[in-house]
């Protein structure tokens, strides 16, 4: 398949997806489908996780990038390709280009995580750091394409890319033929559109639910308006779906074939990522955890069997640390308390003994002795505790009160 260097609004068909699958044979992995007993108990029906986080380069992006670059004319290949991305698309384009013997240049924001920059270079791309936000990086990549003749590889707004991503849908139907609902994260819409094309052509009875982060949800207003509408300053930890405007090509497909688009909060994303790590033993980035977040937000809304697509696992370790803390806080597994003590030797040890007896793990302790509101012999102590959940938090507070402490927070 090749549509030249100008994006086409031509519809993507099942035959296109099947053709993409032939191209990807021996290139993209047929990723695992793992059952989740925990999620299955929650929604009262089987839940399976489609593990694109285990795909080569750590996300589904290789599929679409490889199909798009495969379809270039010889003279286009000779000019090389260029892309703009903070992570997954960058790595997909880099590896696809290397496998096809095409030179690639990838523009990334200056603040992109170092592991993603390093991986993109290792896959064979020349990496150029430009701009603080993706919009500035995108403009630089498009300017480079205009100056050099390199073909700009869009992350989602091209039929070839959508056809490549649609191969995930074919695999889902083969691995879970009894599926009733597929839940998939949506940024620009390429993955959801591709899956919808493949699945609805073969199984129109399957319900497809798209998921967006609440702070970057461009599809609900766009679908209401009947055209792509930009959301200013999209904000979410889920950088893989932090897209301010739907793509023109996937928008039409999503509008026709995706049954529902839901939104999830940052707390729900954090909790879902933590669940994937603890229960499924899978490292998933926030965008990849968005389908699980949707299941957690309203378990009774999904007819099973359900397949949740874990679209990627390229999470920066620093972000992972922050998100896990956020997820634990959202689950009530952190507790911060302030209380006053008599400022005398052994007072803190006595307090810690109460907490130890209540099975609370002390993470941090800070003292305040100079506040004018404190008495001459008083000190205020703030403690950050790790607990086992909301009920345990209540037990810890009760133990402190019974020991004679007045809990301030």
């Amino acid at each position: 398949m090749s549509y030249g260097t100008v994006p086409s609004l031509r519809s993507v068909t099942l035959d296109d997806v099947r053709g993409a699958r032939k191209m990807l044979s021996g290139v993209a992995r047929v990723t695992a489908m793992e059952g989740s007993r925990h999620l299955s108990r929650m929604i009262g029906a089987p839940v399976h996780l489609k593990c694109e986080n285990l795909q080569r380069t750590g996300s589904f992006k290789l599929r679409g990038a490889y199909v798009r670059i495969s379809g270039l004319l010889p003279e286009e290949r000779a000019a090389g390709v260029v892309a703009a991305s903070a992570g997954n698309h960058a790595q997909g384009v880099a590896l696809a280009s290397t496998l096809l013997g095409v030179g690639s240049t990838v523009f990334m924001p200056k603040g992109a995580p170092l592991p993603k920059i390093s991986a993109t270079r290792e896959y064979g791309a020349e990496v150029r750091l430009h701009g603080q936000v993706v919009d500035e990086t995108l403009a630089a990549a498009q300017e480079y394409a205009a100056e050099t003749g390199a073909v700009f590889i869009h992350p989602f707004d091209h039929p070839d890319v959508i056809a490549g991503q649609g191969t995930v849908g074919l695999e889902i139907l083969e691995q879970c033929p009894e599926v009733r609902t597929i839940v998939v994260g949506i940024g620009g819409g390429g993955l959801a559109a591709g899956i919808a094309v493949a699945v609805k052509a073969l199984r129109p009875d399957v319900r497809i639910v798209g998921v967006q982060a609440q702070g970057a949800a461009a599809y609900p207003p766009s679908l209401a308006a009947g055209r792509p509408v930009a959301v200013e300053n999209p904000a979410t930890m889920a950088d893989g779906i932090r897209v301010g405007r739907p793509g023109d090509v996937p928008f039409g497909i999503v509008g026709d074939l995706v049954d529902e688009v839901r939104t999830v909060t940052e707390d729900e994303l954090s909790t879902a990522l933590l669940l994937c790590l603890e229960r499924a033993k899978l490292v998933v980035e926030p965008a990849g955890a968005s389908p699980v977040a949707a299941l957690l937000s309203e378990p009774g809304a999904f007819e099973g069997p359900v397949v949740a697509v874990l679209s990627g696992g390229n999470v920066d370790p620093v972000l992972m640390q922050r998100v896990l803390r956020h997820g634990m806080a959202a689950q009530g597994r952190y507790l911060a308390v302030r209380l006053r003590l008599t400022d005398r030797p052994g007072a803190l040890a006595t307090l810690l003994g109460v907490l130890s007896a209540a099975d609370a793990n002390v993470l941090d302790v800070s003292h305040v002795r100079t506040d004018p509101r404190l008495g001459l012999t008083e000190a205020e102590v703030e403690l950050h505790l790790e607990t086992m959940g909301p009920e345990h938090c209540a037990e810890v507070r009760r133990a402190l009160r019974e020991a004679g402490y007045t809990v301030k927070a």
Side-chain angles (χ1 to χ4, degrees):
M1 292 176 289
S2 177
Y3 308 102
T5 57
V6 180
S8 166
L9 294 179
R10 176 183 84 70
S11 178
V12 181
T13 68
L14 176 61
D15 284 343
D16 294 329
V17 179
R18 284 173 167 162
R21 189 174 196 183
K22 291 180 181 178
M23 290 184 191
L24 290 168
S25 178
V27 175
R29 293 174 182 150
V30 176
T31 51
M33 181 86 75
E34 298 288 343
S36 171
R37 286 182 293 178
H38 181 71
L39 288 171
S40 298
R41 283 195 301 269
M42 285 189 64
I43 75 164
V47 175
H48 305 278
L49 306 175
K50 177 59 172 169
C51 300
E52 281 297 289
N53 59 310
L54 303 179
Q55 183 57 262
R56 295 178 72 179
T57 75
S59 89
F60 71 97
K61 289 289 189 177
L62 172 65
R63 297 174 185 260
Y66 189 90
V67 174
R68 172 75 175 104
I69 298 168
S70 291
L72 295 180
L73 301 172
E75 58 269 27
E76 291 174 321
R77 291 192 183 204
V81 300
V82 61
S85 169
N88 289 347
H89 181 57
Q91 294 172 66
V93 168
L95 179 57
S97 300
T98 297
L99 293 173
L100 291 165
V102 176
S104 62
T105 302
V106 176
F107 285 77
M108 303 182 76
K110 291 180 179 177
L114 293 177
K116 294 185 178 183
I117 295 172
S118 177
T120 302
R121 285 184 172 136
E122 288 176 7
Y123 286 129
E126 176 189 347
V127 174
R128 299 192 181 191
L129 302 180
H130 184 93
Q132 301 299 325
V133 296
V134 174
D135 285 345
E136 295 173 353
T137 308
L138 178 63
Q142 291 173 326
E143 182 179 344
Y144 176 88
E147 291 174 354
T148 65
V151 179
F152 180 70
I153 305 300
H154 200 285
F156 50 81
D157 206 8
H158 195 283
D160 285 357
V161 173
I162 294 170
Q165 320 305 27
T167 58
V168 176
L170 295 180
E171 292 177 16
I172 289 172
L173 293 182
E174 292 171 356
Q175 293 171 312
C176 184
E178 68 277 14
V179 63
R180 297 293 300 167
T181 306
I182 296 173
V183 190
V184 56
I186 296 184
L191 177 61
I195 289 174
V197 167
V199 171
K200 289 292 189 178
L202 295 169
R203 286 280 308 281
D205 59 301
V206 173
R207 183 173 179 79
I208 298 177
V209 179
V211 184
Q212 292 210 285
Q214 199 171 79
Y219 263 90
S222 297
L223 292 169
R227 58 181 174 79
V229 174
V231 172
E232 292 187 10
N233 303 316
T236 174
M237 71 177 78
D239 59 347
I241 53 175
R242 190 173 59 219
V243 177
R245 181 186 183 278
D248 292 328
V249 183
F251 174 76
I253 298 171
V254 169
D256 288 342
L257 300 179
V258 172
D259 297 282
E260 179 187 5
V261 176
R262 291 173 164 258
T263 61
V264 292
T265 67
E266 299 299 284
D267 281 355
E268 289 164 345
L269 286 168
S270 299
T271 301
L273 187 148
L274 183 61
L275 184 147
C276 288
L277 186 63
E278 288 189 326
R279 297 285 185 154
K281 314 306 178 190
L282 292 169
V283 175
V284 182
E285 62 191 89
S290 60
V292 175
L295 296 179
L296 295 175
S297 69
E298 193 177 354
F302 302 89
E303 181 185 359
V306 176
V307 172
V309 181
L310 307 183
S311 58
N314 290 320
V315 57
D316 177 46
V318 175
L319 175 63
M320 171 71 89
Q321 195 172 36
R322 293 204 307 267
V323 172
L324 290 179
R325 283 200 302 266
H326 191 83
M328 292 180 72
Q331 287 189 338
R333 291 163 62 178
Y334 282 141
L335 175 63
V337 295
R338 285 186 299 113
L339 43 83
R340 292 186 181 182
L341 300 174
T342 301
D343 193 9
R344 59 175 176 75
L348 180 59
T350 301
L351 171 61
L352 295 179
V354 173
L355 294 171
S356 176
D359 290 325
N361 184 32
V362 179
L363 301 175
D364 186 52
V365 180
S366 61
H367 281 80
V368 175
R369 291 186 172 89
T370 56
D371 193 314
R373 293 171 296 181
L374 295 173
L376 184 64
T377 61
E378 288 184 321
E380 187 170 86
V381 177
E382 182 173 350
L383 302 106
H384 293 263
L385 311 171
E386 182 182 3
T387 68
M388 293 177 281
E391 292 182 3
H392 189 206
C393 287
E395 291 174 9
V396 172
R397 289 177 180 274
R398 184 166 55 252
L400 289 170
R401 287 194 298 269
E402 290 175 354
Y405 297 103
T406 300
V407 180
K408 302 289 186 180

